């Protein structure tokens, strides 16, 4: 059985057993056992909802701390574009580059160029594509995992193009050692991530053997360290310090699909995991008939809503709009070259995305059907009010856990104390 | 294993709930995704037909290791000419419904195409019974 890596964990000492994460987890992957939250590895899709909603902040990121990166001689930071939106628009994006260098990075590279390039590639891809529609963007790794775990039929719809961050990292890994005359193993390429899903996509990619990144750090961790440097640099900052070739475009990640040209045709952007699941249900029912392209991002408002992004997503997006109007310079893209590269497979995912086999009822079809039947029987006995006191998010989930042998009926407080909802109802009626 | 569901006629807002529930049950059992897709599409089409043309319907899902069967029993106006209803593009949906993207006359043909066996019995003025069968390979 494959062991799944996740970029977040529950600190048992901090967990107060609030059950907020258990109720909100879209994959129903969390149970509260003896007062502590436990995440089921095979069901978790890394959306990070549990991190965002935990009242005791007991769900935390596992990311490479800077210590681990010290062994590298040369360190390159690739920040998610979300990082810029975490700061006031009065902070020039280049100040953030300077601050990252003060933190110990030798070079800072943006993914803007790769994301603008990929917009061209996606248009071409959609122009040429003749198969089943709509296509689903592979940009959000939590969406890809959600599809693998909960919507196995939709895996074939995932666009087989790599994400801008991976393309950027690959270009650095391929070119920088030659440019610097260094051993590639001495160069670390580090991603600053707004979400656990991107950390997981680097530590355990869904569609290839390994990522081009050597490490990832959570944006929260970086932000706290970065902030004093940003303030310090801003005091003495002069616009003439910005190099001529500095390239900034606030699009893509912070605006959820905004710069994808209308040449793609009918496209739809959906954010927030509940809404994403609703759209995926519609696609499965073949109800979404007039849409060719779906960009589904599991965080509300897209990547600016990432659980590791400290700023409120609405403020972040507003910052992003202002930064766009203040600092954006449009790149000269060599479309012909990009399309040639695309035809040579340069932007393709290494391997197709495959469903992740998730067995709710272990065993073969016969056993599974028997257990489903048993589950329905157990469910009928339960109060069906999804109180969550048993540690499962719903009565249905509890019944499923029971037939899998993972819980006892006596864990339901209504069954154990013979408190019957009907008695309460009778009492009400008699009054 | 069997389970029952209800569909209310004219409930455009809730349309799709039954097929989504059925799909979720079949996924949990662990059927092949392509197999589930055929069932989901057929059930959705049938559900839309009830919403558009009938007062209400009872839906029964029967699952065995060799066969998945969805039976819809509706109370409604019935189908006067089943052969005609089976033709691509034939529809009795109103202009308004079609303007909203429903009732393109592909419902029954689509169910027929996606299922292994489709039986329709209908009594005009009483209702229609659809038995849709899918054989597990």
């Amino acid at each position: 059985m494959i062991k799944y890596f996740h970029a977040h964990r529950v600190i048992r000492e901090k967990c107060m057993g609030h059950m907020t994460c258990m109720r909100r987890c879209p994959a129903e992957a969390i149970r509260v056992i003896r007062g502590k939250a436990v995440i089921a590895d095979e069901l978790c899709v890394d959306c990070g909802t549990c991190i965002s909603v935990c009242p005791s902040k007991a769900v935390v990121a596992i990311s490479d701390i800077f210590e681990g990166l010290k062994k590298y001689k040369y360190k390159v930071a690739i920040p998610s574009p979300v990082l810029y939106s975490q700061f006031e628009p009065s902070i020039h994006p280049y100040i953030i580059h300077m601050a990252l260098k003060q933190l110990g990075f030798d070079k800072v590279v943006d993914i803007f160029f790769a994301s603008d390039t990929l917009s061209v590639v996606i248009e071409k891809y959609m122009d040429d594509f003749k198969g089943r529609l709509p296509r689903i963007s592979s940009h959000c790794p939590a969406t890809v995992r959600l599809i693998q775990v909960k919507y196995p039929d939709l895996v074939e719809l995932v666009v087989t193009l790599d994400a801008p961050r991976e393309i950027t990292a690959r270009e650095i890994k391929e070119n920088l050692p030659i440019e610097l005359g260094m051993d590639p193993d001495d160069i670390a390429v580090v991603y600053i991530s707004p979400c656990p899903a991107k950390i997981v996509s680097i530590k355990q990619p869904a569609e290839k053997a390994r990522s081009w990144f050597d490490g990832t750090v959570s944006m929260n961790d970086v932000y706290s360290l970065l902030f004093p440097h940003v303030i310090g640099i801003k005091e003495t900052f002069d616009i003439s310090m910005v190099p001529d070739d500095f390239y900034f475009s606030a699009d893509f990640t912070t605006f959820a699909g905004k710069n994808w040209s209308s040449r793609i045709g009918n496209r739809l952007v959906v954010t927030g995991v509940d809404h994403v699941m609703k759209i995926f249900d519609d696609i499965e029912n073949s109800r979404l008939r007039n849409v060719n392209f779906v960009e589904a991002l599991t965080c509300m408002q897209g990547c600016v809503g990432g659980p590791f992004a400290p700023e409120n997503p609405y403020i972040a997006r507003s910052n992003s709009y202002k930064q766009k109007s203040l600092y954006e310079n449009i790149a000269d893209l060599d479309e012909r070259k990009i399309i040639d590269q695309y035809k040579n497979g340069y932007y393709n995912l290494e391997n197709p995305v495959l469903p992740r086999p998730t067995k709710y009822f272990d065993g073969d079809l016969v056993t599974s059907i028997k257990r489903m039947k048993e589950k329905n029987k157990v469910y009928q006995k339960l109060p069906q009010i999804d109180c969550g006191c048993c540690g499962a998010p719903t009565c249905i989930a509890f019944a499923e856990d029971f037939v899998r042998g993972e819980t006892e009926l006596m864990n339901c407080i209504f069954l154990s104390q013979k408190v019957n909802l009907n008695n309460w109802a009778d009492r009400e009626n008699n009054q | 294993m069997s389970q029952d569901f209800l569909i209310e006629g004219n409930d455009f807002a809730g349309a799709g709930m039954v097929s989504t529930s059925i799909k979720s049950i079949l996924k949990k059992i662990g059927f092949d995704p392509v197999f589930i897709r055929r069932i989901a599409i057929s059930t959705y089409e049938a559900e839309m037909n009830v919403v558009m043309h009938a007062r209400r319907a009872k839906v029964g899902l029967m699952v065995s290791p060799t066969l998945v069967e969805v039976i819809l029993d509706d109370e409604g106006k019935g189908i006067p000419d089943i052969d005609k209803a089976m033709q691509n593009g034939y529809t009795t949906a109103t202009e308004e419904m079609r303007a909203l993207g429903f009732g393109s006359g592909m419902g029954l043909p689509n169910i027929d195409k996606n299922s292994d066996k489709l039986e329709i019995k209908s009594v005009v003025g009483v209702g229609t019974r659809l038995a849709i069968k899918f054989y597990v390979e």
Side-chain angles (χ1 to χ4, degrees):
Chain A
M1 189 154 158
I2 309 164
K3 182 99 181 85
Y4 293 108
F5 169 86
H6 293 292
H8 54 297
R9 67 186 182 95
V10 180
I11 304 176
R12 285 185 67 81
E13 300 75 49
K14 270 193 167 180
C15 176
M16 308 281 284
H18 277 102
M19 303 199 277
T20 319
C21 58
M22 174 194 88
R23 290 178 199 279
R24 295 281 293 277
C25 173
E28 294 193 340
I30 301 178
R31 299 291 180 274
V32 177
I33 301 170
R34 283 185 283 279
K36 305 286 176 190
V38 177
I39 305 173
D41 280 348
E42 73 281 8
L43 296 178
C44 173
V45 297
D46 304 299
C47 66
T49 304
C50 49
I51 303 172
S52 310
V53 301
C54 177
S56 26
K57 300 279 163 232
V59 192
V60 296
I62 307 171
S63 65
D64 296 332
I65 39 170
F66 289 102
E67 287 298 312
L69 298 168
K70 274 190 177 155
K71 62 176 183 190
Y72 293 98
K73 289 191 185 128
Y74 195 93
K75 293 180 274 292
V76 183
I78 301 187
S80 155
V82 171
L83 183 65
Y84 303 99
S85 68
Q86 305 300 298
F87 293 92
E88 281 270 310
S90 65
I91 311 266
H92 194 285
Y94 192 67
I95 296 180
I96 291 152
H97 283 208
M98 291 168 79
L100 283 167
K101 283 182 186 160
Q102 285 188 1
L103 277 188
F105 288 103
D106 300 285
K107 191 178 170 74
V108 183
V109 182
D110 282 311
I111 68 165
F112 298 132
F113 196 77
S115 59
D116 287 353
T117 304
L118 221 65
S119 309
V120 176
V121 174
I122 286 174
E123 278 170 14
K124 180 75 186 142
Y125 173 92
M126 290 304 292
D127 272 351
D128 295 350
F129 191 77
K130 293 284 178 289
R132 184 178 163 201
L133 291 171
R135 306 311 286 172
I136 303 171
S137 160
S138 65
H139 184 65
C140 171
T143 297
V144 174
R145 305 238 163 195
L146 185 71
I147 292 173
Q148 286 181 296
V149 172
K150 292 197 85 134
Y151 298 90
D153 176 45
L154 303 186
V155 288
E156 61 168 286
L157 299 183
V158 176
V159 171
T160 50
L161 298 170
D162 214 341
R165 58 181 181 280
E166 284 292 332
I167 289 163
T168 310
R170 178 170 66 174
E171 282 173 357
I172 294 172
K173 278 299 230 189
E174 283 174 352
N175 301 328
L176 201 62
I178 303 164
E179 206 179 291
L180 298 173
M182 285 175 83
D183 186 342
D185 291 342
D186 285 336
I187 300 175
V189 182
V190 183
Y191 186 67
I192 300 171
S193 174
C195 70
K198 295 207 177 85
I199 294 181
V200 173
S201 82
I202 286 166
K203 294 280 182 194
Q204 191 180 54
E207 64 298 314
K208 56 184 166 187
R210 64 175 293 260
S211 156
W212 291 93
F213 284 96
D214 301 292
T216 51
V217 280
S218 100
M219 195 167 286
N220 266 331
D221 294 351
V222 176
Y223 183 81
S224 311
L225 298 169
L226 208 58
F227 199 80
H229 291 279
V230 168
I231 301 298
I233 296 167
K234 200 192 169 215
E235 276 178 19
T236 56
F237 181 75
D238 188 314
I239 193 81
S240 64
M241 290 161 142
V242 182
D244 289 341
D245 61 351
F246 184 74
Y247 179 61
F248 182 80
S249 94
D251 276 326
F252 207 102
T253 306
T254 41
F255 289 111
K258 182 166 170 300
N259 72 342
W260 292 358
S261 124
S262 52
R263 270 157 57 190
I264 285 179
N266 282 328
R267 66 198 197 284
L268 180 147
V269 179
V270 54
T271 70
V273 69
D274 297 347
H275 300 157
V276 168
M277 285 165 70
K278 223 168 169 323
I279 290 291
F280 286 172
D281 282 332
D282 284 346
I283 298 176
E284 277 196 328
N285 287 347
S286 81
R287 183 183 182 180
L288 217 63
R289 282 168 190 169
N290 297 318
V291 175
N292 296 340
F293 187 81
V294 174
E295 185 174 11
L297 305 164
T298 57
C299 292
M300 200 55 95
Q301 296 282 311
C303 298
V304 287
F308 297 159
E311 187 57 279
N312 171 312
Y314 295 90
I315 298 175
R317 177 161 288 194
S318 151
N319 287 345
S320 214
Y321 272 110
K322 287 175 203 145
Q323 285 165 344
K324 182 178 159 69
S325 65
L326 287 171
Y327 309 117
E328 187 173 61
N329 45 6
I330 305 293
D332 263 335
L333 294 176
D334 185 348
E335 290 207 13
R336 174 162 282 170
K337 186 182 152 202
I338 294 168
I339 285 169
D340 280 345
Q341 281 178 325
Y342 161 63
K343 283 182 182 155
N344 294 328
Y346 185 77
Y347 299 104
N348 287 356
L349 284 179
E350 278 175 33
N351 295 314
V353 175
L354 297 172
R356 185 187 283 185
T358 310
K359 288 263 186 292
Y360 283 87
F361 305 108
D362 305 281
D364 54 303
L365 216 51
V366 180
T367 324
S368 202
I369 293 170
K370 220 166 78 192
R371 287 191 175 157
M372 182 57 103
K373 196 173 171 182
E374 205 183 328
K375 182 214 94 176
N376 287 349
K377 240 190 245 162
V378 173
Y379 178 67
Q380 294 309 319
K381 279 191 215 161
L382 299 174
Q384 305 180 8
I385 55 168
D386 300 344
C387 71
C389 297
C390 59
T394 60
C395 289
I396 289 187
F398 177 76
E400 283 169 10
D401 288 354
F402 173 74
V403 296
R404 270 200 305 257
E406 288 166 8
T407 190
E408 292 167 22
L409 280 185
M410 288 302 115
N411 283 339
C412 171
I413 57 163
F414 293 93
L415 292 184
S416 69
Q417 298 180 1
K418 306 225 183 315
V419 181
N420 194 317
L421 281 186
N422 294 330
N423 293 348
W424 287 95
D426 289 345
R427 201 176 302 177
E428 198 92 309
N429 293 338
N430 294 337
Q431 271 172 7
Chain B
M1 209 258 349
S2 66
Q3 200 162 328
D4 292 338
F5 307 87
L6 281 174
I7 306 171
E8 286 293 329
N10 220 18
D11 178 16
F12 284 93
M17 302 265 275
V18 171
S19 50
T20 300
S21 308
I22 288 180
K23 211 170 55 189
S24 144
I25 290 169
L26 298 175
K27 273 193 217 171
K28 283 184 175 174
I29 290 174
F31 284 105
D32 172 59
V34 178
F35 182 70
I36 297 176
R37 185 165 154 227
R38 285 169 46 209
I39 300 170
I41 294 174
S42 308
T43 316
Y44 181 71
E45 293 286 9
E47 196 176 350
M48 282 316 300
N49 279 348
V50 173
V51 170
M52 284 189 289
H53 303 296
R55 274 191 302 279
R56 69 182 65 84
K58 216 181 90 183
V59 183
L61 166 73
M62 258 75 67
V63 183
S64 82
T66 50
L67 172 76
V68 174
E69 191 172 15
V70 182
I71 296 177
L72 293 99
D73 260 313
D74 77 31
E75 296 168 29
K77 52 187 182 228
I79 306 171
D81 186 339
I82 293 174
D83 287 338
K84 218 170 181 181
M86 291 297 295
Q87 285 168 17
N88 278 351
Y90 177 81
T91 180
T92 55
T94 61
E95 276 303 326
E96 287 81 8
M97 286 176 188
R98 273 184 285 170
L100 287 168
F102 300 108
S104 56
M106 295 305 291
L108 287 177
N110 223 352
I111 299 171
D112 193 40
K113 199 176 85 190
N114 281 292
S115 62
D116 292 316
K117 199 170 177 195
L118 170 63
E119 289 167 3
I120 309 175
K121 280 184 195 137
S122 191
V123 181
V124 175
V126 178
T128 304
R129 182 190 176 94
L130 239 65
I132 320 170
K133 286 184 174 139
F134 305 87
Y135 299 114
V136 183
E137 279 171 23

